Amino acid sequence: MTSAGGARNARRAAGQGLRPFSPFSIKTKLGTLVVVSVFITTGLLMVALRTKTEVRFITVFSVIASMLITQFVAHSLTAPLDNMTTVARAISQGDYTRRVHGAERRDELGDLAATINVMADDLEAVDRHRKELVANVSHELRTPIAALRAVLENVVDGVSAADPETMRTALKQTERLGNLVETLLDLSRVDNGVVPLKARRFEVWPYLSGILKEAGLAAGQRSLASGSGNHTRKDVHLHLDVFPPDLTAHADAERLHQVVANLIDNAVKHSPQHGRVTVRARRGDDAPGSLALEVVDEGPGIPESERHRVFERFNRGSARGGDGGTGLGLAIARWAVGLHGGHIGVAESSRGCRILVTLPGSPKAAA
């Protein structure tokens, strides 16, 4: 999980009653109010007996003192509730920027305020992601649709003939639309929960070699397809390094394909001219039968301060320059690795960016 998810879980834990008992709880305050009122009344009665003051005066003083104390305590309890009501009403109307004051209180109202603030944080994040998704998808759909429409209009108007080259152009834009739809389907799987794994044992070298050939980097085409379109980089060289050559892995081949393809896509997009991207596979150190995969590029790398955001949704890698993608590829890779019970992260590298993926010896369901 990302640090953002961890921070959200921490905030949620803070609002789930981690303080079962507090010396400043509402029950304690109300009990103290009763005790203080009794002491005041008893004290005034004792003063009345010693000074022979009329009981009615003592009664009036007792009532006034008790009312003042009660008013003070009641205000400390009702004021936060009024603030919570105002914030909850604003949230119900779509304003997720409002927060409840008093979350630092050491009583039940403080717990309630913290819980409401966590809920508001989550709703604000969901709303922000929804708006970003609409904006990103609209942007991504506009380009291939416009290009496809232009090609077909030219054919219909007789400006260009329906020759193989024109049809290949139309097919390329259709493939871009298909890739985007596949990305959105993967995102839907992420949101809907865990997908059952179809794990099997396979040889790593021919498996990774096939992915490289599908990407077109090992052959002559040098065209890499991604969820945001086709990124043509004829100058980027891809190198496969598997040791030992007969290395095997136990994983869901389709899900692992998503991981490797997205990592290669990201590495190629950020590689310099005539750069080199290395896909390396080794036996893992965590457990017998585990697998360690690395994808290393020679690009500008990722600053340590931004590494925790790399696998967040819609993160376009501002540190390495925006690439016009949806920012979902690495988030989907993290999800697929998580299904295996593995780990993915940015590892230390003397040059460029190095993404390390570790998979256990046997598949595990993500928590």
Side-chain angles (χ1 to χ4, degrees):
M1 300 298 292
T2 64
S3 60
R8 183 168 59 251
N9 291 336
R11 293 196 306 269
R12 185 176 291 112
Q16 290 179 339
L18 297 182
R19 296 170 290 197
F21 174 78
S22 172
F24 302 101
S25 67
I26 294 178
K27 293 181 180 179
T28 303
K29 292 179 180 179
L30 294 177
T32 303
L33 173 62
V34 173
V35 172
V36 170
S37 299
V38 171
F39 270 109
I40 290 176
T41 303
T42 303
L44 291 176
L45 287 175
M46 293 179 64
V47 171
L49 293 176
R50 289 176 179 272
T51 60
K52 297 182 180 180
T53 305
E54 292 187 14
V55 176
R56 59 180 179 177
F57 295 129
I58 298 301
T59 302
V60 172
F61 290 146
S62 299
V63 171
I64 293 175
S66 298
M67 289 181 62
L68 291 175
I69 297 175
T70 302
Q71 179 65 22
F72 174 77
V73 174
H75 177 75
S76 68
L77 298 179
T78 57
L81 293 176
D82 292 339
N83 179 239
M84 292 178 191
T85 301
T86 302
V87 173
R89 186 178 293 112
I91 291 176
S92 68
Q93 295 174 355
D95 182 6
Y96 304 120
T97 62
R98 303 288 295 274
R99 296 295 182 270
V100 177
H101 303 298
E104 71 282 355
R105 291 171 59 111
R106 298 177 60 187
D107 57 15
E108 292 84 349
L109 291 178
D111 290 339
L112 180 58
T115 301
I116 293 177
N117 287 341
V118 170
M119 178 191 67
D121 289 340
D122 290 343
L123 290 175
E124 185 179 18
V126 170
D127 185 62
R128 182 174 63 254
H129 286 164
R130 178 183 61 82
K131 293 178 180 178
E132 289 176 346
L133 176 62
V134 172
N136 279 281
V137 172
S138 299
H139 173 76
E140 293 299 322
L141 287 174
R142 185 184 300 113
T143 301
I145 289 178
L148 183 60
R149 179 178 179 178
V151 171
L152 295 179
E153 285 180 347
N154 289 338
V155 172
V156 172
D157 296 339
V159 177
S160 60
D163 52 27
E165 182 63 28
T166 301
M167 292 297 98
R168 275 194 295 269
T169 302
L171 177 61
K172 182 179 180 180
Q173 301 305 323
T174 304
E175 289 174 347
R176 289 191 64 183
L177 290 174
N179 290 331
L180 178 59
V181 171
E182 286 297 325
T183 301
L184 295 176
L185 289 175
D186 290 334
L187 179 62
S188 177
R189 296 187 186 103
V190 174
D191 291 332
N192 290 334
V194 176
V195 177
L197 291 177
K198 299 179 181 179
R200 62 178 178 85
R201 185 160 295 280
F202 56 87
E203 293 187 7
V204 175
W205 177 276
Y207 174 77
L208 294 179
S209 178
I211 296 178
L212 270 56
K213 290 179 180 178
E214 290 178 8
L217 291 172
Q221 185 179 359
R222 310 281 180 177
S223 178
L224 183 60
S226 73
S228 59
N230 291 331
H231 299 274
T232 302
R233 296 294 306 275
K234 297 181 178 180
D235 59 326
V236 177
H237 305 278
L238 195 67
H239 177 67
L240 179 59
D241 179 12
V242 178
F243 185 83
D246 60 348
L247 179 64
T248 61
H250 189 274
D252 187 316
E254 180 180 356
R255 299 300 167 208
L256 188 58
H257 186 288
Q258 288 178 300
V259 176
V260 179
N262 278 309
L263 293 181
I264 294 175
D265 178 40
N266 186 70
V268 169
K269 287 186 292 185
H270 295 100
S271 292
Q273 289 187 349
H274 307 290
R276 179 186 180 96
V277 173
T278 301
V279 179
R280 186 177 296 113
R282 297 288 188 271
R283 288 195 176 97
D285 299 329
D286 297 338
S290 61
L291 177 68
L293 280 174
E294 295 181 6
V295 177
V296 185
D297 62 51
E298 297 177 344
I302 303 174
E304 187 174 357
S305 60
E306 297 190 15
R307 290 178 182 177
H308 66 284
R309 300 183 58 249
V310 169
F311 300 97
E312 292 180 2
R313 294 181 183 181
F314 309 109
N315 178 28
R316 293 169 177 260
S318 58
R320 305 211 290 174
D323 52 42
T326 59
L328 295 174
L330 293 183
I332 292 173
R334 181 195 63 185
W335 163 72
V337 172
L339 289 179
H340 290 80
H343 175 74
I344 183 172
V346 181
E348 292 294 333
S349 177
S350 58
R351 181 183 180 186
C353 178
R354 173 170 165 250
I355 304 295
L356 175 62
V357 176
T358 57
L359 299 178
S362 59
K364 298 180 181 179

